[in-house]
Amino acid sequence: MAAIPHSVGLAEGSIDPLAAKQAAQWLVLLHAGEMSDADRLACEQWRASHPDHERAWQRAELVARKFGMVPSHIGLPALRKAEVINRRTAIKTLALLVTAGPMAWSVYRIAPWQQWTSDMQTAIGEQRQLTLADGTRLTLNTASAVDVRYDGMTRRLILRRGEIMIETARDPAPVARPFIVESEQGSMRALGTRFIVRQTDQTSRIAVTEGAIEVTPKDNSAARFVVQAGQQADFDRHDGQLSEIAPHADAWATGVLYAEKMQLGQFVEEIARYRRGILRCDPAIAQMQVSGAFQLQDTDAVIKALVDSLPIRVDFVTRYWATIGPI
């Protein structure tokens, strides 16, 4: 990353917009896991070069913690995987909040932090089980957020982030209302069922263990299809693809991750969802295979088990930033 120029100082209590933008750029680079040693030195020099820079940095960290952008709260799964346009949006939004100050934060409701103002949410490593007004059972997985929108016409859940498991109940209303789950990629109408929905950056995955689900991609209603019990589907805003349900698809609800010859790179991605901060796998060992049952509530123990059973090591940059690599 090129050196960022000096910004002009302002009166005490205000944040220079240029310094706010620079601080946002540095913070996103840091927590995306892409800051080199040279970048880190340049960032430190920038912070020390003017009081406005250090104040902007401190404010940016405060804003990021409040909206769940740093490892001490949710890691950075969205920014780690985001495309360039999403990163630019994150930088712009973070800089705006830094400049606006605390008085504006309480009314901030614009994506990508919309999920952190949702009706129900979980932090990294947290899971919650709830019973909704109609008796439907809802389980939220790690770092998930959902809004509940029940009215006289429909029972609707809006998945903002993460993964949920749903066991629908019979509607007690005089006229049965359809049960619908919405994700960024489309809508899913339950046909009396138990199912799991997982939202990622570009796709949604639905796995049906009982009953059936009708899926409608958001931008192509003609591509509507049905997922039966024992099937799962990955779909985007235009189309979807059916396959057999993955073994132990609902095991996370009991706090367990089952792996059967799972590639280490994929395994580390799964474990990282339950761990605060950044956990990466060196591509040199990503093809190694992992098998076993692992308790998701103790990711430190999971990492230790990997080190004990495979020719790998773990290097910690900080408590919340680790890379698994070859010995």
Side-chain angles (χ1 to χ4, degrees):
M1 179 174 176
I4 300 178
H6 174 75
S7 61
V8 179
L10 295 183
E12 185 67 26
S14 59
I15 298 293
D16 176 19
L18 177 57
K21 180 180 180 180
Q22 293 166 351
Q25 290 172 331
W26 283 122
L27 195 66
V28 168
L29 183 68
L30 171 63
H31 291 296
E34 299 174 1
M35 181 175 277
S36 66
D37 290 340
D39 289 332
R40 189 172 289 103
L41 177 60
C43 179
E44 292 174 356
Q45 291 174 340
W46 173 81
R47 290 172 59 183
S49 66
H50 196 280
D52 284 350
H53 295 180
E54 180 62 23
R55 290 176 53 246
W57 175 264
Q58 296 294 335
R59 178 75 67 82
E61 288 193 314
L62 177 61
V63 172
R65 286 195 299 271
K66 180 176 178 63
F67 290 99
M69 291 180 60
V70 296
S72 60
H73 284 258
I74 68 163
L76 263 183
L79 291 181
R80 281 207 314 268
K81 300 175 183 177
E83 296 179 353
V84 172
I85 188 171
N86 292 332
R87 180 170 301 190
R88 287 175 178 169
T89 299
I91 291 172
K92 181 178 179 180
T93 307
L94 177 57
L96 177 64
L97 288 172
V98 169
T99 305
M103 291 298 293
W105 301 346
S106 62
V107 296
Y108 185 68
R109 293 294 184 271
I110 302 174
W113 292 278
Q114 185 179 30
Q115 60 264 29
W116 302 113
T117 63
S118 297
D119 296 336
M120 301 171 185
Q121 57 188 275
T122 53
I124 278 192
E126 180 187 10
Q127 295 176 336
R128 293 181 63 191
Q129 295 182 343
L130 310 104
T131 300
L132 303 182
D134 63 340
T136 291
R137 297 176 62 185
L138 171 65
T139 304
L140 284 75
N141 202 359
T142 176
S144 300
V146 63
D147 283 327
V148 180
R149 298 290 183 265
Y150 279 25
D151 57 28
M153 301 295 294
T154 61
R155 297 173 291 165
R156 189 181 305 272
L157 301 184
I158 304 173
L159 180 59
R160 301 295 186 186
R161 178 186 177 88
E163 186 173 24
I164 56 176
M165 182 168 68
I166 300 163
E167 187 173 352
T168 58
R170 189 166 189 168
D171 191 1
V175 178
R177 300 164 294 175
F179 190 98
I180 298 171
V181 176
E182 293 182 358
S183 72
E184 183 62 28
Q185 286 73 38
S187 63
M188 293 145 275
R189 184 169 67 92
L191 308 176
T193 189
R194 181 175 181 269
F195 62 105
I196 300 159
V197 183
R198 178 170 171 176
Q199 169 104 29
T200 65
D201 290 340
Q202 303 296 330
T203 63
S204 291
R205 169 173 289 181
I206 179 164
V208 182
T209 58
E210 296 177 13
I213 293 288
E214 182 183 71
V215 178
T216 305
K218 182 169 288 188
D219 294 338
N220 186 11
S221 60
R224 184 181 294 112
F225 60 95
V226 175
V227 186
Q228 302 288 349
Q231 293 182 321
Q232 66 183 30
D234 293 287
F235 64 97
D236 57 23
R237 298 170 69 98
H238 303 280
D239 204 356
Q241 184 172 1
L242 287 168
S243 60
E244 290 187 9
I245 194 169
H248 308 293
D250 57 354
W252 60 263
T254 62
V256 179
L257 172 63
Y258 287 95
E260 179 63 34
K261 295 183 178 180
M262 183 183 293
Q263 291 189 353
L264 181 59
Q266 180 186 354
F267 182 85
V268 170
E269 286 185 3
E270 287 298 310
I271 292 300
R273 297 173 61 211
Y274 299 86
R275 182 180 179 85
R276 292 178 178 176
I278 297 172
L279 179 64
R280 298 183 136 199
C281 180
D282 190 318
I285 60 171
Q287 302 302 314
M288 288 185 177
Q289 293 186 341
V290 179
S291 296
F294 302 86
Q295 296 295 321
L296 295 170
Q297 294 301 316
D298 191 349
T299 58
D300 284 341
V302 173
I303 293 173
K304 184 178 185 303
L306 291 178
V307 173
D308 290 343
S309 60
L310 296 172
I312 62 175
R313 69 178 188 182
V314 182
D315 295 319
F316 286 90
V317 178
T318 70
R319 170 66 180 83
Y320 297 105
W321 187 349
T323 298
I324 297 177
I327 294 177

